[in-house]
PDB file of all heavy atoms in Angstrom:
ATOM      1  N   TYR A 252     -39.628  85.158 162.889  1.00 86.00           N
ATOM      2  CA  TYR A 252     -40.164  83.816 162.818  1.00 86.00           C
ATOM      3  C   TYR A 252     -41.718  83.882 162.794  1.00 86.00           C
ATOM      4  O   TYR A 252     -42.371  83.179 162.008  1.00 86.00           O
ATOM      5  CB  TYR A 252     -39.750  82.971 164.047  1.00 86.00           C
ATOM      6  CG  TYR A 252     -38.291  82.804 164.286  1.00 86.00           C
ATOM      7  CD1 TYR A 252     -37.834  82.334 165.512  1.00 86.00           C
ATOM      8  CD2 TYR A 252     -37.348  83.109 163.295  1.00 86.00           C
ATOM      9  CE1 TYR A 252     -36.479  82.152 165.747  1.00 86.00           C
ATOM     10  CE2 TYR A 252     -35.985  82.950 163.528  1.00 86.00           C
ATOM     11  CZ  TYR A 252     -35.582  82.470 164.764  1.00 86.00           C
ATOM     12  OH  TYR A 252     -34.218  82.325 164.994  1.00 86.00           O
ATOM     13  N   VAL A 256     -44.711  82.263 160.392  1.00 87.00           N
ATOM     14  CA  VAL A 256     -45.598  81.166 160.826  1.00 87.00           C
ATOM     15  C   VAL A 256     -47.028  81.688 161.116  1.00 87.00           C
ATOM     16  O   VAL A 256     -48.000  80.994 160.825  1.00 87.00           O
ATOM     17  CB  VAL A 256     -45.055  80.445 162.060  1.00 87.00           C
ATOM     18  CG1 VAL A 256     -43.769  79.723 161.689  1.00 87.00           C
ATOM     19  CG2 VAL A 256     -44.848  81.362 163.257  1.00 87.00           C
ATOM     20  N   ALA A 309     -37.968  74.094 171.787  1.00 78.00           N
ATOM     21  CA  ALA A 309     -38.561  74.945 170.762  1.00 78.00           C
ATOM     22  C   ALA A 309     -37.636  75.110 169.569  1.00 78.00           C
ATOM     23  O   ALA A 309     -38.080  75.242 168.409  1.00 78.00           O
ATOM     24  CB  ALA A 309     -38.910  76.325 171.346  1.00 78.00           C
ATOM     25  N   ARG A 310     -36.308  75.106 169.830  1.00 81.00           N
ATOM     26  CA  ARG A 310     -35.363  75.300 168.717  1.00 81.00           C
ATOM     27  C   ARG A 310     -35.487  74.167 167.714  1.00 81.00           C
ATOM     28  O   ARG A 310     -35.474  74.386 166.502  1.00 81.00           O
ATOM     29  CB  ARG A 310     -33.937  75.399 169.277  1.00 81.00           C
ATOM     30  CG  ARG A 310     -32.886  75.590 168.193  1.00 81.00           C
ATOM     31  CD  ARG A 310     -31.492  75.460 168.793  1.00 81.00           C
ATOM     32  NE  ARG A 310     -31.290  76.444 169.866  1.00 81.00           N
ATOM     33  CZ  ARG A 310     -30.186  76.441 170.644  1.00 81.00           C
ATOM     34  NH1 ARG A 310     -29.264  75.523 170.491  1.00 81.00           N
ATOM     35  NH2 ARG A 310     -30.068  77.362 171.582  1.00 81.00           N
ATOM     36  N   THR A 311     -35.555  72.918 168.204  1.00 85.00           N
ATOM     37  CA  THR A 311     -35.672  71.780 167.309  1.00 85.00           C
ATOM     38  C   THR A 311     -36.950  71.865 166.474  1.00 85.00           C
ATOM     39  O   THR A 311     -36.953  71.587 165.276  1.00 85.00           O
ATOM     40  CB  THR A 311     -35.660  70.496 168.140  1.00 85.00           C
ATOM     41  OG1 THR A 311     -34.453  70.394 168.870  1.00 85.00           O
ATOM     42  CG2 THR A 311     -35.790  69.250 167.228  1.00 85.00           C
ATOM     43  N   VAL A 312     -38.048  72.258 167.114  1.00 87.00           N
ATOM     44  CA  VAL A 312     -39.320  72.369 166.401  1.00 87.00           C
ATOM     45  C   VAL A 312     -39.237  73.446 165.308  1.00 87.00           C
ATOM     46  O   VAL A 312     -39.795  73.290 164.208  1.00 87.00           O
ATOM     47  CB  VAL A 312     -40.458  72.627 167.388  1.00 87.00           C
ATOM     48  CG1 VAL A 312     -41.777  72.885 166.628  1.00 87.00           C
ATOM     49  CG2 VAL A 312     -40.629  71.501 168.379  1.00 87.00           C
ATOM     50  N   MET A 313     -38.513  74.517 165.611  1.00 86.00           N
ATOM     51  CA  MET A 313     -38.368  75.595 164.603  1.00 86.00           C
ATOM     52  C   MET A 313     -37.570  75.080 163.414  1.00 86.00           C
ATOM     53  O   MET A 313     -37.882  75.446 162.265  1.00 86.00           O
ATOM     54  CB  MET A 313     -37.683  76.798 165.215  1.00 86.00           C
ATOM     55  CG  MET A 313     -38.540  77.605 166.187  1.00 86.00           C
ATOM     56  SD  MET A 313     -40.181  78.082 165.555  1.00 86.00           S
ATOM     57  CE  MET A 313     -39.739  79.008 164.109  1.00 86.00           C
ATOM     58  N   TYR A 314     -36.565  74.258 163.623  1.00 88.00           N
ATOM     59  CA  TYR A 314     -35.830  73.667 162.485  1.00 88.00           C
ATOM     60  C   TYR A 314     -36.777  72.819 161.628  1.00 88.00           C
ATOM     61  O   TYR A 314     -36.726  72.868 160.418  1.00 88.00           O
ATOM     62  CB  TYR A 314     -34.672  72.816 162.993  1.00 88.00           C
ATOM     63  CG  TYR A 314     -33.351  73.566 163.108  1.00 88.00           C
ATOM     64  CD1 TYR A 314     -32.733  73.717 164.329  1.00 88.00           C
ATOM     65  CD2 TYR A 314     -32.739  74.109 161.989  1.00 88.00           C
ATOM     66  CE1 TYR A 314     -31.542  74.387 164.457  1.00 88.00           C
ATOM     67  CE2 TYR A 314     -31.521  74.782 162.088  1.00 88.00           C
ATOM     68  CZ  TYR A 314     -30.936  74.932 163.345  1.00 88.00           C
ATOM     69  OH  TYR A 314     -29.733  75.607 163.432  1.00 88.00           O
ATOM     70  N   TRP A 315     -37.617  71.987 162.278  1.00 89.00           N
ATOM     71  CA  TRP A 315     -38.579  71.196 161.524  1.00 89.00           C
ATOM     72  C   TRP A 315     -39.513  72.095 160.728  1.00 89.00           C
ATOM     73  O   TRP A 315     -39.793  71.863 159.555  1.00 89.00           O
ATOM     74  CB  TRP A 315     -39.418  70.349 162.467  1.00 89.00           C
ATOM     75  CG  TRP A 315     -38.675  69.323 163.263  1.00 89.00           C
ATOM     76  CD1 TRP A 315     -37.378  68.867 163.025  1.00 89.00           C
ATOM     77  CD2 TRP A 315     -39.131  68.629 164.419  1.00 89.00           C
ATOM     78  NE1 TRP A 315     -37.043  67.943 163.974  1.00 89.00           N
ATOM     79  CE2 TRP A 315     -38.089  67.754 164.866  1.00 89.00           C
ATOM     80  CE3 TRP A 315     -40.312  68.637 165.146  1.00 89.00           C
ATOM     81  CZ2 TRP A 315     -38.213  66.932 165.956  1.00 89.00           C
ATOM     82  CZ3 TRP A 315     -40.448  67.795 166.245  1.00 89.00           C
ATOM     83  CH2 TRP A 315     -39.403  66.959 166.653  1.00 89.00           C
ATOM     84  N   THR A 316     -39.997  73.171 161.379  1.00 88.00           N
ATOM     85  CA  THR A 316     -40.945  74.058 160.722  1.00 88.00           C
ATOM     86  C   THR A 316     -40.346  74.678 159.480  1.00 88.00           C
ATOM     87  O   THR A 316     -40.931  74.652 158.386  1.00 88.00           O
ATOM     88  CB  THR A 316     -41.400  75.164 161.698  1.00 88.00           C
ATOM     89  OG1 THR A 316     -42.113  74.560 162.793  1.00 88.00           O
ATOM     90  CG2 THR A 316     -42.282  76.186 160.997  1.00 88.00           C
ATOM     91  N   PHE A 317     -39.171  75.296 159.648  1.00 90.00           N
ATOM     92  CA  PHE A 317     -38.577  76.017 158.512  1.00 90.00           C
ATOM     93  C   PHE A 317     -38.140  75.054 157.394  1.00 90.00           C
ATOM     94  O   PHE A 317     -38.294  75.335 156.215  1.00 90.00           O
ATOM     95  CB  PHE A 317     -37.385  76.853 158.987  1.00 90.00           C
ATOM     96  CG  PHE A 317     -37.779  78.061 159.781  1.00 90.00           C
ATOM     97  CD1 PHE A 317     -36.984  78.507 160.825  1.00 90.00           C
ATOM     98  CD2 PHE A 317     -38.931  78.761 159.499  1.00 90.00           C
ATOM     99  CE1 PHE A 317     -37.335  79.618 161.568  1.00 90.00           C
ATOM    100  CE2 PHE A 317     -39.294  79.860 160.243  1.00 90.00           C
ATOM    101  CZ  PHE A 317     -38.506  80.290 161.275  1.00 90.00           C
ATOM    102  N   GLY A 318     -37.554  73.910 157.782  1.00 89.00           N
ATOM    103  CA  GLY A 318     -37.063  72.971 156.773  1.00 89.00           C
ATOM    104  C   GLY A 318     -38.186  72.430 155.896  1.00 89.00           C
ATOM    105  O   GLY A 318     -38.126  72.483 154.657  1.00 89.00           O
ATOM    106  N   GLY A 368     -44.717  75.671 164.399  1.00 86.00           N
ATOM    107  CA  GLY A 368     -43.846  76.849 164.555  1.00 86.00           C
ATOM    108  C   GLY A 368     -44.465  77.927 165.427  1.00 86.00           C
ATOM    109  O   GLY A 368     -43.772  78.567 166.209  1.00 86.00           O
ATOM    110  N   ALA A 371     -43.959  76.925 168.920  1.00 83.00           N
ATOM    111  CA  ALA A 371     -42.539  76.957 169.301  1.00 83.00           C
ATOM    112  C   ALA A 371     -42.078  78.401 169.579  1.00 83.00           C
ATOM    113  O   ALA A 371     -41.304  78.638 170.518  1.00 83.00           O
ATOM    114  CB  ALA A 371     -41.665  76.340 168.218  1.00 83.00           C
ATOM    115  N   VAL A 372     -42.515  79.359 168.760  1.00 82.00           N
ATOM    116  CA  VAL A 372     -42.118  80.746 168.969  1.00 82.00           C
ATOM    117  C   VAL A 372     -42.580  81.212 170.340  1.00 82.00           C
ATOM    118  O   VAL A 372     -41.815  81.825 171.107  1.00 82.00           O
ATOM    119  CB  VAL A 372     -42.692  81.667 167.865  1.00 82.00           C
ATOM    120  CG1 VAL A 372     -42.433  83.130 168.225  1.00 82.00           C
ATOM    121  CG2 VAL A 372     -42.052  81.336 166.513  1.00 82.00           C
ATOM    122  N   HIS A 375     -40.728  80.087 173.449  1.00 71.00           N
ATOM    123  CA  HIS A 375     -39.501  80.840 173.764  1.00 71.00           C
ATOM    124  C   HIS A 375     -39.776  81.972 174.753  1.00 71.00           C
ATOM    125  O   HIS A 375     -38.984  82.221 175.674  1.00 71.00           O
ATOM    126  CB  HIS A 375     -38.907  81.446 172.503  1.00 71.00           C
ATOM    127  CG  HIS A 375     -38.154  80.499 171.645  1.00 71.00           C
ATOM    128  ND1 HIS A 375     -38.747  79.829 170.573  1.00 71.00           N
ATOM    129  CD2 HIS A 375     -36.865  80.072 171.658  1.00 71.00           C
ATOM    130  CE1 HIS A 375     -37.852  79.051 169.990  1.00 71.00           C
ATOM    131  NE2 HIS A 375     -36.716  79.190 170.606  1.00 71.00           N
ATOM    132  N   MET A 434     -31.742  82.163 161.984  1.00 84.00           N
ATOM    133  CA  MET A 434     -31.792  81.318 163.150  1.00 84.00           C
ATOM    134  C   MET A 434     -30.529  80.446 163.266  1.00 84.00           C
ATOM    135  O   MET A 434     -29.911  80.363 164.353  1.00 84.00           O
ATOM    136  CB  MET A 434     -33.026  80.429 163.098  1.00 84.00           C
ATOM    137  CG  MET A 434     -33.191  79.497 164.331  1.00 84.00           C
ATOM    138  SD  MET A 434     -34.659  78.480 164.267  1.00 84.00           S
ATOM    139  CE  MET A 434     -34.165  77.276 163.017  1.00 84.00           C
TER     140      MET A 434
END
Side-chain angles (χ1 to χ4, degrees):
Y252 302 165
V256 294
R310 180 188 302 172
T311 301
V312 176
M313 289 308 302
Y314 268 118
W315 297 344
T316 296
F317 288 145
V372 172
H375 283 94
M434 181 179 75

